[in-house]
Amino acid sequence: VYKRQGFIWLQSHDGYMHYLDESTERFYTFPRYRESDEEKSSSINCFMQLNQDEIWLGSNSSGAYRLTYREDSVYRIEQFRSRGLNPITNNRVSFICEDTQDHVWLGTDQGLNKFTRLSDSRLDSVPEHLLVDHSFTTAIQNASYLWMGTRNHGVLRYQALSQSFAPLMLDEGAQNMEISLLKLTADERHMIIGTAGRGLYIYDLSSGEVLRHELPGTRVNSVFEDGFGKIWVTTDAFGVSMIDPGTEGAGFFWLTPPETHQLIDAERAFFFEDSQKNLWVGTHGGGLGLFDRENGHYTFYRNDPEDPATIGSNFVYRMIEDP
């Protein structure tokens, strides 16, 4: 929910982003799939609320959208593409973020686009193009740096005050790897770096120490940090890995029965921790799992067509806890 306007934002399974204006009971959709074939085949893959009146959306093939609120309950829409007025470097936008100097960055398949902050209320509408030989995938911001993952140059560190870039040296051969995920731990002491092909790295932001974990599968898809600081990692293979950054311990757990692996395309594990710190995982075909922390294993709730008292489906998409 967008606090000032009260609009409800949601994303549908096809990648389109929508918001509901409850005063008119009307939905607005991005990309605007009725406008052109380019937008019809596009989807939104990043969302940033810059301030109370401005939202940025990034797409996988139709550039970026800047939405500025107007008093008539709609947004003024600017679309930035790789052609036309004020072009960006590429129409595939992988991230949109703001640095410590309040500049806005768009990472794309072909370089960075920096929108410079001119005043408290205004950004330069003409982006600066940087590192066009880099293909960017993801980014996160901490108090000191903007960290950017790439498809062909590993991780880059950007300091806004000095306007300088530097590669993050992880290990030999890691500088040209593809980064699929960057995430800070809750205490912001470690950065989790997911890769395509080289497993997962845990980088100590204060000491610079690096711990690498080889994982099943070739690509890190998602990371969930539970209330005890354990890191749960999914890849393009079945199962989930658990890593403890404090002790450097690790474990692996099957979530879906092996006999059903050929019947589903992916596990799509979704983690949820309730108010009592019980850890649940929903799967695409494997049912609902509850982790027993004392004994270190999962108990699964699965559908039995002959038993109406069992869970209604083995396809669990989301979880929420009511009052």
Side-chain angles (χ1 to χ4, degrees):
V1 177
Y2 195 31
K3 294 181 180 178
R4 177 173 174 179
Q5 271 57 265
F7 298 149
I8 298 173
W9 286 86
L10 59 96
Q11 188 166 30
S12 48
H13 67 90
D14 53 10
Y16 289 108
M17 186 73 71
H18 318 266
Y19 74 88
L20 171 65
D21 182 351
E22 291 187 285
S23 66
T24 61
E25 297 186 349
R26 178 180 174 184
F27 277 99
Y28 298 83
T29 296
F30 298 91
R32 297 162 294 180
Y33 51 79
R34 293 187 179 91
E35 298 292 324
S36 67
D37 289 339
E38 180 183 65
E39 290 189 271
K40 185 183 295 186
S41 61
S42 186
S43 63
I44 299 298
N45 53 18
C46 47
F47 175 104
M48 184 185 74
Q49 180 177 317
L50 185 64
N51 54 50
Q52 288 189 332
D53 293 315
E54 191 171 330
I55 285 177
W56 287 71
L57 306 173
S59 77
N60 67 351
S61 62
S62 58
Y65 301 83
R66 181 186 186 186
L67 282 57
T68 307
Y69 184 71
R70 304 189 309 193
E71 294 303 322
D72 51 2
S73 295
V74 296
Y75 288 97
R76 175 177 176 266
I77 302 166
E78 296 174 83
Q79 186 177 3
F80 296 93
R81 291 177 287 187
S82 59
R83 63 184 185 277
L85 188 65
N86 305 331
I88 58 176
T89 54
N90 187 267
N91 283 337
R92 185 178 180 87
V93 180
S94 54
F95 65 79
I96 303 174
C97 59
E98 188 179 19
D99 67 24
T100 56
Q101 301 299 302
D102 299 328
H103 308 310
V104 171
W105 293 82
L106 274 63
T108 76
D109 252 11
Q110 293 177 291
L112 292 169
N113 301 265
K114 177 185 177 183
F115 291 83
T116 301
R117 176 69 59 183
L118 302 176
S119 66
D120 289 342
S121 60
R122 192 162 69 93
L123 285 172
D124 191 345
S125 60
V126 181
E128 179 183 358
H129 298 165
L130 300 161
L131 301 178
V132 294
D133 61 333
H134 289 49
S135 178
F136 288 87
T137 57
T138 185
I140 55 173
Q141 170 77 48
N142 70 354
S144 303
Y145 300 103
L146 179 59
W147 305 88
M148 305 180 189
T150 72
R151 194 166 282 112
N152 51 1
H153 290 84
V155 180
L156 297 180
R157 184 184 70 189
Y158 175 76
Q159 187 179 51
L161 281 175
S162 63
Q163 300 185 46
S164 61
F165 291 90
L168 179 61
M169 309 302 290
L170 293 171
D171 61 25
E172 185 177 353
Q175 275 56 59
N176 297 323
M177 68 182 172
E178 179 178 347
I179 305 300
S180 61
L181 177 148
L182 294 175
K183 182 181 176 66
L184 293 174
T185 56
D187 58 12
E188 298 194 359
R189 292 178 53 193
H190 297 90
M191 179 168 62
I192 302 166
I193 303 168
T195 75
R198 292 184 64 87
L200 181 132
Y201 294 82
I202 297 181
Y203 178 72
D204 190 310
L205 290 162
S206 59
S207 70
E209 294 181 359
V210 180
L211 182 66
R212 181 186 173 197
H213 290 270
E214 294 188 19
L215 302 171
T218 59
R219 185 181 188 88
V220 175
N221 286 337
S222 69
V223 168
F224 178 83
E225 182 182 6
D226 68 22
F228 294 87
K230 307 295 190 297
I231 307 299
W232 298 86
V233 187
T234 66
T235 70
D236 54 356
F238 286 92
V240 59
S241 299
M242 186 275 288
I243 298 170
D244 187 337
T247 65
E248 302 183 4
F252 179 80
F253 303 87
W254 289 108
L255 300 178
T256 305
E259 60 269 21
T260 66
H261 287 182
Q262 294 183 344
L263 304 178
I264 57 177
D265 60 342
E267 206 160 42
R268 304 179 195 173
F270 175 81
F271 289 90
F272 174 76
E273 196 168 45
D274 64 28
S275 59
Q276 304 301 311
K277 293 193 180 298
N278 296 308
L279 181 66
W280 303 84
V281 59
T283 69
H284 184 77
L288 175 67
L290 173 62
F291 187 59
D292 184 334
R293 297 185 192 276
E294 184 176 346
N295 296 309
H297 66 79
Y298 277 94
T299 298
F300 285 93
Y301 301 88
R302 297 190 173 111
N303 173 259
D304 179 354
E306 304 300 323
D307 185 355
T310 60
I311 193 171
S313 171
N314 288 330
F315 295 83
V316 180
Y317 297 111
R318 288 292 183 268
M319 286 165 275
I320 192 168
E321 183 177 15
D322 70 14

